[in-house]
Amino acid sequence: ANLSFHEEVIGETSSTEIRALKILCVGRVCLDIVQTCTQFPAEDSTERWQRGGNASNTCTALSLIGQPCELLACLSADDHITFMRDDLRKYKIDYSHCPVIKGTGCLIASIILSLSTGSRTIVYHNQGLPKSTLKSFMELNLDEYCWIHFEGINIDEVLLCIQRIEKYNNSILNRTPDRMPITISLELESPRSGSRLLSLLPHVDVAFVSKEFANNLGLSNMNEVVEVHNVGQNTKATIVCAWGEKGAIARTSCGVIVQSPAFPPKKVIDTLGAGDTFNAAIIYYLNKSKVEFMHKYNRTACTSDTSQTTDTSAVKQSVEKNFNRENFKSNQLNFITEAVLQKTVKFACCVAGAKVGLRGFDNLD
Ligand code: ADP
């Protein structure tokens, strides 16, 4: 992986908060059976098995970048459960709240990767596994999470989950000042759910718009996606759009646009999961910036009144006095400045560029 960039941008600054609180990804996990072919559809292909699904891949990349994370997705009790569990453990992904469903096989994606054209052809089997994780989500202790990312399936359920997070965020307004509201992100990928996914935008902080989704809206390049009247008009959402080898673009809630080229590896080997890796890197970097912003905010609140005292209760009172939670919450995404978003998008393109040069995810760290 592109470690020099990683070290330069991330350095040693990972704070204890980033390590302590988890990022939760809600969506699907499946078994990917990947045929890598020299040409499509060659017969001399080699087959490999890996854990797949967007939310699951995003967790893999988050974990490899060094972020504690959790997956919430339905697992099949019948087939391949040992393979899935072992792999989740191998990548240190918490799956303790995943519902385990009996009587239905594991979702399987047969994938043909063509090395000559870079094309990916995916055929799904066993689509009978329920997708609902609502019950498990409602039982989670939200104190454990700093960010919750939704894959963008089960849209009615996603709305209910988001409403629970919104309620939680409001309830922590009067609690300890070092607790920031949970940030909500959503992937807009499936063109079939176009308008319903768009209807969730007013509820989310960060939205990932895929090329396929954008094409379906009649948008033919990433610049069109961030034109304010096209996606996310009148919402607070930061819009992020990756566009394969063209790189990526993003727009802050204030309308500032930033862009990064792609960082291609010497040889493109495997683009499967590039988008999920890109999303993970964006979430990781923004979350890190959020924690740093919070520290700075608290320090300012502290030192303005209490530079002369070492009495910790006085310091605490001062923080509480100076910390306007209501104001802070409504502006929670103020930390996504133009500079932060620019660095974030560049970082994500670097990480995703490193990933496409690797088979699977190993060595991304
Ligand atoms: P998806 O896997 O969802 O189709 P994209 O193709 O949009 O995702 O790629 C996500 C990111 O991965 C891009 O923004 C880019 O940074 C990186 N990427 C993808 N393909 C390539 C490539 N061929 N060369 C370099 N970077 C790439």
Side-chain angles (χ1 to χ4, degrees):
N2 193 341
L3 275 185
S4 55
F5 182 80
H6 184 271
E7 278 156 8
E8 180 197 320
V9 179
I10 298 296
E12 295 297 316
T13 57
S14 303
S15 69
T16 45
E17 276 80 345
I18 298 183
R19 303 234 164 269
L21 291 180
K22 287 181 285 186
I23 290 176
L24 175 71
C25 297
V26 184
R28 259 180 308 190
V29 62
C30 66
L31 176 70
D32 284 352
I33 299 179
V34 187
Q35 309 273 353
T36 308
C37 312
T38 46
Q39 285 179 357
F40 181 87
E43 287 176 12
D44 60 342
S45 56
T46 52
E47 178 184 299
R48 73 174 194 269
W49 284 24
Q50 63 185 46
R51 179 174 41 81
N54 291 14
S56 157
N57 286 340
T58 299
C59 279
T60 303
L62 276 172
S63 192
L64 288 170
I65 300 172
Q67 170 65 48
C69 61
E70 178 175 342
L71 173 69
L72 185 59
C74 289
L75 283 168
S76 160
D78 298 353
D79 303 330
H80 317 303
I81 182 86
T82 309
F83 174 83
M84 292 295 196
R85 281 190 173 135
D86 287 352
D87 200 64
L88 286 161
R89 263 188 234 118
K90 174 180 161 195
Y91 288 94
K92 300 189 177 62
I93 298 166
D94 183 346
Y95 60 94
S96 56
H97 298 102
C98 288
V100 179
I101 314 289
K102 288 191 184 134
T104 321
C106 170
L107 175 65
I108 295 179
S110 290
I111 301 163
I112 299 172
L113 287 184
S114 164
L115 290 176
S116 57
T117 64
S119 75
R120 292 178 301 206
T121 306
I122 306 179
V123 181
Y124 287 102
H125 313 269
N126 255 351
Q127 299 210 62
L129 185 70
K131 298 190 192 87
S132 177
T133 50
L134 186 64
K135 187 168 173 290
S136 306
F137 186 90
M138 291 301 168
E139 287 164 7
L140 296 174
N141 174 8
L142 295 185
D143 286 342
E144 291 181 21
Y145 308 99
C146 49
W147 188 303
I148 298 182
H149 172 68
F150 293 94
E151 186 176 321
I153 53 168
N154 294 343
I155 297 161
D156 296 340
E157 285 196 2
V158 171
L159 182 58
L160 294 173
C161 296
I162 289 177
Q163 284 167 345
R164 179 170 182 230
I165 304 168
E166 286 172 340
K167 214 162 142 201
Y168 172 86
N169 281 346
N170 286 329
S171 79
I172 59 167
L173 286 178
N174 298 319
R175 282 164 53 184
T176 50
D178 58 349
R179 176 67 171 120
M180 283 187 79
I182 296 171
T183 306
I184 303 168
S185 59
L186 172 72
E187 200 179 350
L188 288 81
E189 191 184 60
S190 167
R192 270 174 293 146
S193 317
S195 57
R196 295 176 65 228
L197 278 171
L198 286 169
S199 73
L200 291 177
L201 280 185
H203 299 276
V204 309
D205 301 305
V206 178
F208 296 98
V209 180
S210 77
K211 185 175 172 179
E212 200 188 355
F213 189 91
N215 285 158
N216 199 54
L217 293 178
L219 308 171
S220 54
N221 61 62
M222 60 182 181
N223 293 292
E224 286 179 8
V225 174
V226 292
E227 280 173 22
V228 83
H229 51 274
N230 282 334
V231 180
Q233 194 172 11
N234 301 326
T235 70
K236 60 173 179 173
T238 294
I239 306 292
V240 182
C241 178
W243 211 270
E245 60 276 17
K246 293 262 190 291
I249 200 162
R251 187 186 77 220
T252 66
S253 54
C254 309
V256 177
I257 292 170
V258 301
Q259 196 168 342
S260 168
F263 293 88
K266 281 199 188 90
K267 185 162 186 262
V268 174
I269 291 181
D270 175 9
T271 59
L272 188 65
D276 304 326
T277 305
F278 174 88
N279 293 354
I282 293 274
I283 294 170
Y284 171 80
Y285 201 93
L286 286 181
N287 185 54
K288 171 185 164 296
S289 306
K290 172 176 152 178
V291 173
E292 284 167 4
F293 177 85
M294 182 71 191
H295 278 174
K296 219 155 110 192
Y297 194 99
N298 269 348
R299 265 203 310 275
T300 315
C302 239
T303 48
S304 59
D305 260 18
T306 59
S307 52
Q308 302 304 313
T309 177
T310 52
D311 176 354
T312 51
S313 65
V315 171
K316 194 163 175 288
Q317 274 172 18
S318 166
V319 170
E320 277 161 12
K321 192 174 114 222
N322 284 286
F323 196 89
N324 183 338
R325 298 291 295 165
E326 203 55 68
N327 184 37
F328 185 65
K329 185 185 171 284
S330 61
N331 291 319
Q332 76 146 308
L333 287 178
N334 275 357
F335 70 89
I336 309 186
T337 60
E338 180 178 357
V340 164
L341 196 59
Q342 178 71 70
K343 280 188 192 171
T344 305
V345 173
K346 186 176 176 193
F347 174 69
C349 284
C350 275
V351 177
K355 191 264 150 288
V356 300
L358 301 167
R359 191 175 303 278
F361 293 89
D362 282 341
N363 302 319
L364 189 65
D365 51 343

